[in-house]
Amino acid sequence: MDKKEIVNKIEYVISCVGAFASKYNLSNSQAYAYLRRFSAIDFLIDCYSAEHTLSIDEAVEDIQAICFRKGGCIA
């Protein structure tokens, strides 16, 4: 993995966390902690090649569903 790809993944995850925080009225740090706890950050990184082709809104729906399946209660 080259440096550019790493930077792209980081920026993508930051964008998704921010969008998730906005949608669910959380701070960025609260959103990150929630998404980390329920494996959504790992999902975004592992599935970056597919997820980054979707809109941010679709990605937020995906990570919300991942969290919900793993015990998260934000819906």
Side-chain angles (χ1 to χ4, degrees):
M1 183 176 340
D2 67 3
K3 187 174 181 180
K4 176 90 170 132
E5 187 177 353
I6 293 168
V7 169
N8 288 343
K9 283 184 179 184
I10 291 168
E11 290 175 350
Y12 179 71
V13 170
I14 290 169
S15 295
C16 290
V17 170
F20 187 89
S22 292
K23 181 173 182 175
Y24 293 106
N25 202 25
L26 303 168
S27 70
N28 286 338
S29 61
Q30 288 173 317
Y32 178 82
Y34 179 83
L35 295 171
R36 171 60 73 198
R37 178 177 178 195
F38 295 107
S39 304
I41 299 295
D42 294 333
F43 169 80
L44 287 173
I45 294 167
D46 294 344
C47 299
Y48 172 79
S49 61
E51 285 293 310
H52 87 281
T53 64
L54 304 173
S55 72
I56 293 292
D57 290 338
E58 290 173 308
V60 167
E61 290 174 14
D62 288 348
I63 59 178
Q64 184 278 328
I66 293 288
C67 291
F68 192 74
R69 277 185 265 168
K70 298 211 174 204
C73 59
I74 293 176

